Amino acid sequence: MSSFRNPIGPQSPKVYWRRRAGVVAVLLLVIVVITLIATRPGAGAGATATPSPSTSTAAAAPAAVPTVAAPSSAASAAPTAAATASASPTASATAGASASGSAAAGTCTASDITLKPLTDKSSYTSLQQPQINMTITNSSTSACSIDLGSSQQVLTITSGSDTYWSSKDCQVNGSNQIVKLAAGQTLTTPAIAWDRTRSSKSTCSSTRSSVPADGATYHLSVAVGSIQSTTSATLVLN
């Protein structure tokens, strides 16, 4: 203890006291630093980081699933305005209003409907086949429903008192389709080709004979069910 209180050495006691004071200050600084590290919030080997609510939510939330919009009632219920052709020689028309009729629309009568036969030309060369079809018009002032399926449509070609060709002769599996026609609405059926032969129910699977040409005149008339066209279209075959 005497050597601690009274340093012995070649230098003065003040030098040794200053050195001891420096050593003590360093030791105190080390103790303070260790204390701060030990008491810092969240320090220590066992501490674990807690993710923030936003980070946790983002990681857990599934990716957004694209939403497919349901079709509107107008797009799914309204058929096309143009008429559509069937596989049989008779074309079937589809209305632009409603394809299954309506409780508010009555059945079309002969006085409501106007049928007009159509041909793409009035005269044909020997290499041309006439394209034939019809328009269907609701001439009344109110909507009405009518069966425009292929089973109801008939295209007939005559010359004089003879019937040369009918779309019904070899039709297979004709369909029915109730269509609502608005007042004044007109539908046009797709054109089909007449192969310039004479048809009959007995020649559906055999070769048919060609009809006379060289300037022969034929007439196209049309019908939908019991409704007949009041006019005919003229065809001249050369």
Side-chain angles (χ1 to χ4, degrees):
M1 293 294 292
S2 61
S3 61
F4 179 77
R5 294 179 180 178
N6 299 301
I8 300 174
Q11 300 182 20
S12 65
K14 292 181 179 181
V15 173
Y16 294 104
W17 279 113
R18 284 197 294 267
R19 290 179 179 176
R20 290 176 179 179
V23 172
V24 172
V26 170
L27 291 175
L28 291 175
L29 179 61
V30 170
I31 292 172
V32 170
V33 170
I34 293 174
T35 302
L36 291 176
I37 293 174
T39 59
R40 181 173 59 86
T48 56
T50 302
S52 64
S54 60
T55 303
S56 176
T57 303
V65 179
T67 301
V68 180
S72 66
S73 58
S76 60
T80 58
T84 56
S86 66
S88 63
T90 303
S92 63
T94 304
S98 113
S100 55
S102 168
T107 302
C108 299
T109 64
S111 60
D112 297 326
I113 300 299
T114 300
L115 303 179
K116 181 180 179 181
L118 298 177
T119 61
D120 61 329
K121 295 180 180 182
S122 59
S123 180
Y124 299 86
T125 67
S126 59
L127 300 178
Q128 295 175 323
Q129 292 186 348
Q131 304 294 313
I132 58 177
N133 59 327
M134 74 172 95
T135 62
I136 305 164
T137 302
N138 178 3
S139 303
S140 70
T141 57
S142 59
C144 63
S145 297
I146 184 173
D147 188 348
L148 296 182
S150 60
S151 65
Q152 301 299 311
Q153 298 182 42
V154 186
L155 294 89
T156 306
I157 295 177
T158 62
S159 182
S161 59
D162 292 335
T163 298
Y164 280 82
W165 183 90
S166 172
S167 61
K168 291 300 258 185
D169 281 343
C170 297
Q171 185 182 61
V172 178
N173 298 327
S175 64
N176 296 90
Q177 186 171 10
I178 303 300
V179 174
K180 176 181 158 184
L181 292 178
Q185 183 179 4
T186 296
L187 298 180
T188 301
T189 64
I192 59 175
W194 174 39
D195 60 2
R196 301 168 62 132
T197 62
R198 181 188 291 269
S199 72
S200 68
K201 296 183 182 300
S202 62
T203 59
C204 295
S205 58
S206 60
T207 302
R208 296 176 178 174
S209 59
S210 298
V211 300
D214 298 327
T217 299
Y218 297 87
H219 298 277
L220 169 68
S221 59
V222 296
V224 174
S226 61
I227 304 175
Q228 304 281 334
S229 60
T230 58
T231 60
S232 63
T234 301
L235 307 84
V236 176
L237 301 186
N238 295 300

